[in-house]
Amino acid sequence: MAAFNRRQILMAGAGVTALAALPACSNPPGSTDSGEKVEVFSWWSGPGEEEGLKALIEKFKADNTGVEFVNAAVAGGSGTQAKQVLANRMRGAQPPDSYQLHAGLEASDDIKAGWLEDLTAMYDSNGWKAKFPKGLIDNLSIGGKIYAVPVNIHRSNLMWYVPKKLTEWGIAAPAKTWAEFLAQAETLKAKNVAALSVGATWTQLHLLENVLLGELGVAKYNGLWTGATDWKGAETIAALDTFKKVMAVSVVGTDDWQATIDKVLAGTAAYHVMGDWAAGYLQGAKALKYKDTYDVVASPGSTGVYNFLADSFTLPKGAPHRAHAESWLKLCASPEGQDLFNPLKGSVPARLDADKAKYKDYLAWALQEWQNSSTVVVGSLVHGVVANNAWKAEIEKAYGVFLQDKESAKFAEAVSKAYTANK
Ligand code: GAL
């Protein structure tokens, strides 16, 4: 279930024959499909998060008149708060009708916990297996059974900036390596500008994964999650030391990503490393123009690499309004749904046959990079792809200590030990 290979993704569908249509799932005994409503749980609330969801909700309502849509979004970037609320609901046998889940080891955990219905029959009856990258479906499956519907592909390794401000500060081009970034930080410091803006803990870990990627390169980055790269080895420690230097030239807050990127717009900081949901925010709520009032490059050292994550929706066991949940999943999987949602969300479609013309500005570049056969795909730590929930929680705990004591070797030791304990 680790990061999948670019070619596997693009080969999706090749050789997969659409199976004969199977009957749609019916309600299992004991399920209570009574009310005319559907409750969808996510963490998409607030500017840059909710616009795409709202477009899907409108379409759902138009297609399902009389069905109440309950938007159970719990605010907080990367789902930090939402996941806790969801876990309590699932453990208390109060599932929503569908919930947001990342492809990868995060999905495996919920599948193994027995929380999710097997959607393989839905995939077969709707011919979906041929419509999504095979590698992506694999990241939502265990034992050949598929448990979620992907709505998008996001890219984590991006660095956002305001081109005119860089020019004003005497920076000719965005940094291509972390060493160059640190050199630029000196120039910026003399102008009273922080090199980077970073916020709440998850945004710091988001930065950390991309410093590790940029410093270690693809093979060693991948090895961090499979045990092949030694966390305690000299190269990893050196990359962690680079991360400390990056943090030292950053303005570090506690805000979520929107307020953190706002500091770049205000000119307090030069850059922000964030996923491409930022494009939804900058082009939507902030009404900025790609290449003019904002711009973006791969984070230092990661040109040609797509550090991916994919948002997906599920059918939890015991969903009270199963039939409407299935309508929701069908909308999420449809080309119309994907092309309504993704241009607003700042992501590229998970479907292979989406309408390219709908992806403009930043998203035209994103789609081109995603579909380029020489692009290398790796998986995100923070957004559920490469570490199971138990290990990720241990990494977060160790990071809290690292932030205080700044001891790279101690952090590496803790992460490595937690890998062995939780793999
Ligand atoms: C990610 C999620 C994205 C975006 C981001 C910020 O985990 O996959 O869709 O919402 O968090 O909240």
Side-chain angles (χ1 to χ4, degrees):
M1 289 283 284
F4 49 81
N5 152 317
R6 172 79 216 156
R7 258 165 233 293
Q8 271 175 301
I9 295 169
L10 291 175
M11 290 305 288
V16 178
T17 323
L19 298 175
L22 295 172
C25 308
S26 56
N27 292 327
S31 93
T32 50
D33 193 9
S34 47
E36 289 299 303
K37 61 171 157 178
V38 67
E39 186 195 17
V40 174
F41 187 98
S42 75
W43 56 86
W44 292 331
S45 130
E49 298 273 33
E50 70 188 4
E51 295 85 348
L53 175 62
K54 284 195 166 158
L56 279 182
I57 294 175
E58 287 318 307
K59 175 83 176 126
F60 181 90
K61 285 184 179 163
D63 294 348
N64 298 271
T65 34
V67 180
E68 184 193 350
F69 193 101
V70 181
N71 179 0
V74 174
S78 85
T80 337
Q81 276 86 264
K83 285 175 192 167
Q84 286 169 21
V85 175
L86 180 78
N88 286 337
R89 287 189 58 170
M90 294 306 292
R91 289 190 193 110
Q94 290 189 312
D97 294 308
S98 184
Y99 70 83
Q100 179 186 355
L101 178 72
H102 287 129
L105 293 187
E106 182 182 309
S108 302
D109 275 353
D110 287 15
I111 301 169
K112 287 183 197 151
W115 287 359
L116 301 178
E117 291 278 355
D118 170 11
L119 302 179
T120 316
M122 266 190 104
Y123 268 77
D124 288 339
S125 59
N126 292 287
W128 291 342
K129 281 184 182 160
K131 300 296 182 195
F132 295 100
K134 184 181 177 306
L136 181 55
I137 292 183
D138 288 348
N139 272 257
L140 296 165
S141 307
I142 288 188
K145 294 179 178 171
I146 317 168
Y147 292 86
V149 170
V151 279
N152 66 1
I153 302 289
H154 267 308
R155 187 177 188 179
S156 152
N157 60 317
L158 293 165
M159 189 166 78
W160 307 84
Y161 61 98
V162 177
K164 282 178 192 134
K165 296 231 190 254
L166 282 198
T167 314
E168 200 180 298
W169 296 321
I171 308 272
K176 287 207 168 55
T177 62
W178 286 107
E180 195 190 338
F181 169 91
L182 291 170
Q184 288 186 0
E186 292 298 312
T187 312
L188 291 161
K189 192 177 169 192
K191 316 234 167 206
N192 239 341
V193 177
L196 196 84
S197 169
V198 67
T201 309
W202 77 266
T203 71
Q204 298 172 27
L205 283 163
H206 185 112
L207 172 66
L208 174 62
E209 73 179 37
N210 288 308
V211 172
L212 290 171
L213 173 62
E215 288 292 276
L216 297 176
V218 166
K220 286 181 183 139
Y221 173 83
N222 284 338
L224 289 173
W225 319 117
T226 61
T229 301
D230 185 4
W231 274 88
K232 295 169 291 173
E235 273 188 273
T236 314
I237 304 286
L240 291 170
D241 288 343
T242 301
F243 171 74
K244 285 193 305 196
K245 290 183 193 152
V246 171
M247 287 291 279
V249 297
S250 299
V251 50
V252 183
T254 51
D255 291 317
D256 218 321
W257 64 272
Q258 295 95 329
T260 305
I261 204 168
D262 284 350
K263 291 185 185 151
V264 174
L265 306 182
T268 315
Y271 303 112
H272 180 48
V273 170
M274 192 39 60
D276 48 10
W277 41 92
Y281 176 65
L282 297 177
Q283 301 222 160
K286 292 286 162 180
L288 301 184
K289 292 262 168 292
Y290 179 54
K291 295 277 166 210
D292 179 18
T293 43
Y294 85 90
D295 208 348
V296 58
V297 286
S299 53
S302 72
T303 303
V305 181
Y306 221 97
N307 188 0
F308 105 99
L309 56 125
D311 293 306
S312 312
F313 280 93
T314 56
L315 179 61
K317 283 194 183 149
H321 312 98
R322 185 191 172 103
H324 296 317
E326 287 185 3
S327 304
W328 166 251
L329 294 177
K330 282 184 190 159
L331 172 61
C332 289
S334 68
E336 300 76 31
Q338 301 235 331
D339 288 340
L340 264 177
F341 174 77
N342 287 302
L344 295 167
K345 186 65 170 64
S347 37
V348 298
R351 272 188 82 108
L352 298 159
D353 58 352
D355 180 1
K356 262 190 163 179
K358 298 238 160 60
Y359 298 85
K360 302 204 167 79
D361 301 316
Y362 160 74
L363 285 174
W365 177 60
L367 202 51
Q368 189 190 319
E369 293 262 295
W370 175 246
Q371 293 178 340
N372 182 341
S373 58
S374 59
T375 296
V376 181
V377 178
V378 302
S380 163
L381 163 69
V382 173
H383 308 283
V385 185
V386 290
N388 61 28
N389 293 337
W391 188 31
K392 190 179 159 218
E394 289 298 324
I395 297 175
E396 285 164 358
K397 209 163 97 192
Y399 178 77
V401 178
F402 181 41
L403 191 61
Q404 299 305 316
D405 69 14
K406 302 193 170 47
E407 288 189 36
S408 302
K410 206 171 128 196
F411 175 65
E413 168 80 40
V415 173
S416 167
K417 216 167 132 193
Y419 172 72
T420 311
N422 293 291
K423 67 179 170 180

